[in-house]
Amino acid sequence: MGDCIFCKIANGEIPAATLYEDEDFRVILDLGPGSKGHSLVLPKAHYANIYEMPDELLGKAMAVAKKAAAGLVKGLEADGLNVIQNNGLTAGQTVFHFHMHLIPRYEGKEEVIGWTPGTLTDEDKEEILAKVKI
């Protein structure tokens, strides 16, 4: 897509701090990081979300994320790392080009990434099991 900012970044049309690149992906530092080393895994081809990604490329995205995550944790001496991938505005997606966030975590830091755990009720469980077919 000609107007997609992540397409332009992934394909080198817009400069970015690149940690990794191959024929299908580019991993860059996020300009609005949630923590030191927060990075994005971007496919070079445009897919709006996970539902549009071909299975083979989606598998490669996870392999690239694993490689980049290991490098981030080792290089920055992080104590953990979140892998986050949002789909749709309600889920927090703000750029509609598939991407994965790699967010290093550090003991004692106050970054807030997550949710308040709820409770799976028997009613919800039964409804979900009846409606969702995978």
Side-chain angles (χ1 to χ4, degrees), residues 30-79:
D30 194 309
L31 292 178
S35 73
K36 183 179 180 180
H38 181 165
S39 302
L40 302 175
V41 176
L42 305 174
K44 292 183 176 180
H46 183 82
Y47 302 98
N49 52 48
I50 196 171
Y51 316 116
E52 292 184 3
M53 287 276 286
D55 291 347
E56 184 176 307
L57 196 60
L58 191 57
K60 185 174 179 185
M62 187 55 84
V64 168
K66 175 185 174 185
K67 182 177 196 166
L72 287 164
V73 168
K74 182 178 179 182
L76 298 175
E77 299 179 359
D79 299 303

Side-chain angles (χ1 to χ4, degrees), residues 6-8 13 18 21 40 51 54 67 76 106-107 112:
F6 279 2
C7 280
K8 291 176 181 177
E13 296 171 40
T18 300
E21 181 178 10
L40 302 175
Y51 316 116
K67 182 177 196 166
L76 298 175
Y106 304 93
E107 189 71 37
V112 178

Side-chain angles (χ1 to χ4, degrees), residues 60-133:
K60 185 174 179 185
M62 187 55 84
V64 168
K66 175 185 174 185
K67 182 177 196 166
L72 287 164
V73 168
K74 182 178 179 182
L76 298 175
E77 299 179 359
D79 299 303
L81 182 131
N82 292 105
V83 177
I84 300 174
Q85 200 281 310
N86 304 317
N87 296 281
L89 191 59
T90 303
Q93 186 177 13
T94 58
V95 178
F96 294 90
H97 177 110
F98 175 92
H99 58 285
M100 298 170 69
H101 294 263
L102 305 177
I103 306 173
R105 302 301 297 268
Y106 304 93
E107 189 71 37
K109 298 287 184 179
E110 294 296 323
E111 297 99 358
V112 178
I113 303 166
W115 57 89
T116 303
T119 301
L120 178 62
T121 65
D122 288 339
E123 181 180 314
D124 285 345
K125 177 178 68 176
E126 295 306 320
E127 177 187 0
I128 294 164
L129 290 173
K131 290 183 175 180
V132 177
K133 303 299 176 202

